[in-house]
Amino acid sequence: MKFKVIGAGLAGVEAAWHIAQAGYDVALYEMKPLNHSPAHKTDLFAELVCSNSLKAMRIESAAGLLKEEMNRLGSLTVPIARECAVPAGGALAVDRNEFSKKITDKIKTHKNITVVNKIVEKIESDDTLIIVATGPLTDGALAENIKLITGNYLSFYDAAAPIVTARSIDMSRVFSASRYDRGGDDYFNCPFNKDEYEKFINELIHAKSSVIHDFDVYEGCMPIEKLAKRGFDAPRFGPMKPVGLVDPDTGHRPWACVQLRRENAKGTMFNLVGFQTNLKFGEQKRVFSMIPGLENAEFVRYGVMHRNSFINSPQLLNSDFSLKKNPNIFFAGQITGVEGYMESASSGILAGINAVRRAENKSPFVLKNDTMLGALSEYISDTSVKNFQPLGANFGILPPIEPKIKDKKERYKALSERALSSLDTSMESL
């Protein structure tokens, strides 16, 4: 059997890597540099387009547990992310260019991987095991072909946050701190008093968007202006929450706060945390310059909004990410409905492992649902799910600990310990 992976995003590179590491030749098809999606700007593999944060690092968190499970399965992306980390409190944020460069180099220099720069328009399995990892921006002829194969294609919209230069931030108006002192001073914080906040929100909800009709936006990427329209205080309980922060100038918690997270290792650029937006560029400049400290902000990138697509996986995929009606075809990444950078990469790991096992006539490698990877795999293949929507790693999808542990920190620790023990047991079959 031949192996073919379509798409060199996070899922695609993990899938190709695991096939190659198993000793098989694999062709990795990537449309860049021949063509770019509206969100992609470079010719590098595993390009991060929305944020440079891969979420929490600590194993006692859902995101941290997922990364540890991936690491134990031989992930390509997790160790490289750690190498390219920039200060971000308890989160694993990366210098996105270095991250993508290192992954691209690893893939291109692997003796078993052949990179084919081509725009794929049709999925043809025949004697080939195919992994479709074309991402949430799949369009054109390939999207139409996927529709023919799956018979059911869904879509939603996603938004990205603006990035500003460090030199343009008024340091006299911001302070450095992480919430609850986790991670030292990895964030710049722009504090609002009540009057400043109310003026800002009023301008935000009346600002002009680049698209006039409403979208079904995934909750985790809700544009800040749409969140504000849900309620005047909604941002103050969301990305602008001041909890865990004390303004050293006042000695008190701010009324609201915008956090700026380092975008690159040099600390020359910062992104507005949680400020995904669909406002017109001129409106972004006008309204976001009302944020204390950003009065003279220099925007490296304005927030953008783009279409994301995903298949109705519970009706179409097995828990090993193979297509029910043609198990020689696998899907991986956000097109399956897993939501998030590492979630996408993790699905690529499982698709790659299982493509190899299919070629070797072995039973699928399916983790138990008490692991984060197993629970996500179960979610995308659960036929009882009626209104399928994208989902990221969270402890709510794991079976509860019995007897019940009331303390949240202790409960999360127990869930993580159980998951890693279960993973280690399952890996004995590999």
Side-chain angles (χ1 to χ4, degrees), residues 165-381:
T165 62
R167 67 186 179 190
S168 68
I169 301 169
D170 184 352
M171 297 302 178
S172 69
R173 301 213 61 192
V174 305
F175 63 94
S176 299
S178 294
R179 285 195 175 91
Y180 302 108
D181 293 324
R182 292 175 180 169
D185 56 358
D186 295 340
Y187 291 83
F188 289 149
N189 299 275
C190 307
F192 289 77
N193 59 36
K194 185 177 181 181
D195 182 59
E196 289 170 333
Y197 176 80
E198 290 177 349
K199 289 178 179 178
F200 174 74
I201 295 299
N202 184 63
E203 291 299 319
L204 182 63
I205 62 179
H206 290 102
K208 296 178 181 179
S209 296
S210 59
V211 182
I212 60 173
H213 56 85
D214 198 19
F215 292 117
D216 180 18
V217 181
Y218 175 65
E219 288 290 326
C221 286
M222 180 67 61
I224 186 66
E225 64 273 14
K226 184 169 183 176
L227 178 63
K229 290 175 182 177
R230 289 185 169 183
F232 211 73
D233 283 326
R236 208 161 66 86
F237 290 94
M240 296 181 69
K241 62 186 177 185
V243 295
L245 296 170
V246 176
D247 185 346
D249 286 344
T250 66
H252 300 290
R253 186 173 76 181
W255 183 257
C257 191
V258 171
Q259 286 199 305
L260 308 177
R261 181 177 58 227
R262 189 179 300 205
E263 177 66 23
N264 59 358
K266 294 180 179 179
T268 58
M269 298 183 294
F270 282 76
N271 63 59
L272 280 64
V273 178
F275 264 59
Q276 301 90 348
T277 181
N278 189 40
L279 295 181
K280 289 184 175 182
F281 290 176
E283 292 288 78
Q284 291 184 45
K285 173 67 174 175
R286 180 180 67 84
V287 177
F288 295 156
S289 293
M290 295 177 67
I291 297 172
L294 300 188
E295 292 85 356
N296 299 302
E298 183 179 74
F299 289 83
V300 176
R301 183 192 72 188
Y302 286 106
V304 295
M305 195 165 188
H306 49 267
R307 170 183 153 273
N308 280 356
S309 299
F310 59 98
I311 60 176
N312 191 2
S313 293
Q315 306 305 317
L316 300 168
L317 300 184
N318 297 307
S319 56
D320 65 351
F321 291 88
S322 65
L323 195 61
K324 290 179 181 179
K325 67 179 184 180
N326 187 345
N328 283 351
I329 298 175
F330 293 77
F331 282 81
Q334 287 196 64
I335 198 170
T336 67
V338 294
E339 213 294 319
Y341 287 144
M342 289 291 95
E343 288 85 345
S344 297
S346 70
S347 68
I349 293 175
L350 293 180
I353 290 173
N354 280 302
V356 169
R357 292 181 71 84
R358 178 157 182 78
E360 296 176 346
N361 293 314
K362 295 179 180 178
S363 60
F365 177 68
V366 178
L367 293 168
K368 294 182 179 179
N369 67 357
D370 55 3
T371 65
M372 193 59 69
L373 269 167
L376 287 171
S377 301
E378 182 181 69
Y379 175 75
I380 63 97
S381 59

Side-chain angles (χ1 to χ4, degrees), residues 1 6-7 122 127-128 135 158 169 255-256 336 351 365 398 403 418:
M1 296 287 285
I6 307 174
K122 190 176 182 180
D127 63 340
T128 304
D158 198 1
I169 301 169
W255 183 257
T336 67
F365 177 68
L398 300 184
R418 183 185 68 179

Side-chain angles (χ1 to χ4, degrees), residues 110-121:
H110 199 295
K111 64 178 182 178
N112 294 335
I113 300 176
T114 300
V115 176
V116 182
N117 295 116
K118 181 180 179 180
I119 299 173
V120 178
E121 297 184 341

